[in-house]
Amino acid sequence: MHLSLKNILVETEGHLQTITINRPSKLNALNQATIEELSTCIQAAENDPKVKVIIMTGAGKKAFVAGADISEFSNFSIEQGKALSQKGHHELFNLIDKLSKPVIAAVNGFALGGGLELALSAHVRVFAENALVGLPETSLGIIPGYGGTQRLAQIAGKGRAMHMILSAEMIDAAKALDYGITTSVVPQEDLAEAAIKMANKIMRNAPSALSKAIQCINASYAHKIDGFDYEINTFGSCFNTPEFKEGTMAFLEKRKANF
Ligand code: COA
C-alpha cells in the first residue's frame, strides 16, 4: 500500500494491522482529512488478504479521539451539516461496522463524540482504566451524527443512551464496562498488549466464519431483514468453505486448525 498519510499511522505485523490516529496535539480529533485517510486505509485493509484483524487506537496517553474536529464545522449550514454526517456514515463508520474483518478499538483516555462513535462502530472494544467516554454533542447544540444515537442505544440500551446523550456526561471505564460499552478494562500500560491478545484469539478462528458472524449479528439491527432467516442461510453457506472442512477435520484429528 503506497499512501501518503499525515494523520494516521498504519503498521502491519503478520496478519494484524494497527491503525493509530495521530493528532495528539488536538487529542486526535477527527478532521475531514483524518476521516478520509481512515476510510482509505480501512478499505485497503478489507481488500488485503494478508490483513485478518485491525486494531484502531489513538496516539499519546491522553486520548483515543476527543471527537469530530469542532473547528471545522462551527460555521456550517444545514446542508453542510447533513453532508458531513452522511459522508462520515458512508465512508467510515458504516464501513467499519460492516467490514468483513474484525475491528478492535483500543480506547486510551478520552473517547468523546465522534471518538466514541468510532469505537462503537468497531466490533470489539478494549478500554484502558483511564478511558473517559461520552457523547457531549448536545452541549454544543448538535446531536451525535456519526451513528451514535443508533449504536449507543443498540450496545448499551435505550435508557443508557438517553441518559448519556441528554446529560452529555462523560463516564469512566468501570461504568462503561457495566453498561456493556466495553467488554474489558485493563491498566493503561497493558492496553496495547490486551488488544493484541484479543486479536490473536480472534485470528485463531476461521476468517470466513468471522465475516459471516459479523454480518449475522449486524442483521439483527438492519431494517427489513429477518435476522433468524439470515442466520439460517448464512449458516448453510459455511458448509462449502475450505475453512469448514479444515476446522472440522482438525477437531476430528485432534489438532489445531490451520486457517
Ligand atoms: N475538536 C477540535 N479540537 C479539539 C477537540 C475537538 N473535538 N478536542 C480537543 N481539541 C483540541 C483543543 O482545542 C486543544 O487545542 P489547542 O491546544 O490548539 O487549543 C487541544 O486539542 C487540547 O485540548 P484541551 O481542551 O486543551 O485539553 P483538556 O485536557 O483541557 O480538555 C477535553 C480535554 C477532551 C475535555 C476537551 O478538549 C474537550 O472538551 N474537547 C471537546 C470534546 C467534545 O465536545 N467532543 C465532541 C465533538 S462533536
Side-chain angles (χ1 to χ4, degrees):
M1 185 170 55
H2 299 285
L3 294 167
S4 151
L5 301 167
K6 287 195 182 143
N7 303 291
I8 63 174
L9 302 170
V10 181
E11 291 165 275
T12 310
E13 223 178 302
H15 294 298
L16 175 61
Q17 183 161 98
T18 302
I19 299 179
T20 306
I21 297 137
N22 189 29
R23 298 182 74 212
S25 67
K26 296 289 174 193
L27 302 184
N28 304 321
L30 289 180
N31 58 4
Q32 281 308 294
T34 307
I35 289 186
E36 280 162 23
E37 288 182 10
L38 281 169
S39 176
T40 305
C41 284
I42 287 166
Q43 193 62 65
E46 175 79 332
N47 297 329
D48 182 347
K50 281 203 307 291
V51 177
K52 290 190 175 171
V53 175
I54 298 165
I55 293 174
M56 284 191 305
T57 194
K61 295 201 159 131
K62 209 170 155 185
F64 173 70
V65 168
D69 193 317
I70 298 168
S71 65
E72 277 191 343
F73 59 72
S74 54
N75 296 322
F76 270 15
S77 64
I78 291 177
E79 288 72 25
Q80 287 172 307
K82 187 176 169 189
L84 179 79
S85 173
Q86 204 162 38
K87 188 167 186 276
H89 273 255
H90 293 154
E91 291 182 11
L92 185 60
F93 295 80
N94 290 353
L95 172 70
I96 294 171
D97 197 6
K98 293 183 167 55
L99 211 71
S100 74
K101 300 173 184 185
V103 179
I104 300 168
V107 175
N108 45 322
F110 293 113
L112 301 173
L116 179 56
E117 291 173 297
L118 188 65
L120 293 172
S121 69
H123 306 112
V124 178
R125 282 160 292 285
V126 181
F127 277 23
E129 280 168 351
N130 72 328
L132 275 175
V133 310
L135 293 178
E137 286 88 345
T138 56
S139 71
L140 299 169
I142 53 174
I143 62 165
Y146 288 145
T149 62
Q150 306 303 294
R151 290 195 184 96
L152 184 61
Q154 291 166 357
I155 291 167
K158 183 175 169 182
R160 287 163 177 162
M162 286 285 186
H163 181 122
M164 286 179 66
I165 294 170
L166 301 185
S167 69
E169 224 169 60
M170 281 189 235
I171 61 168
D172 64 14
K175 195 165 230 179
L177 183 66
D178 181 44
Y179 281 10
I181 292 173
T182 184
T183 46
S184 56
V185 176
V186 298
Q188 189 176 9
E189 62 274 17
D190 298 339
L191 180 67
E193 194 190 320
I196 292 170
K197 215 165 150 186
M198 182 67 198
N200 286 333
K201 245 185 224 178
I202 294 172
M203 283 193 287
R204 285 202 287 269
N205 302 321
S208 65
L210 295 171
S211 154
K212 289 169 198 281
I214 291 171
Q215 283 171 18
C216 281
I217 295 167
N218 280 338
S220 68
Y221 301 104
H223 295 297
K224 298 182 184 155
I225 291 183
D226 181 324
F228 289 95
D229 279 345
Y230 195 83
E231 183 187 272
I232 291 166
N233 290 321
T234 309
F235 179 75
S237 76
C238 297
F239 284 74
N240 73 347
T241 62
E243 290 167 352
F244 161 69
K245 304 261 181 306
E246 167 59 13
T248 47
M249 282 305 287
F251 177 79
L252 296 172
E253 291 168 2
K254 300 192 185 307
R255 60 174 174 84
K256 279 196 172 148
N258 181 20
F259 295 120

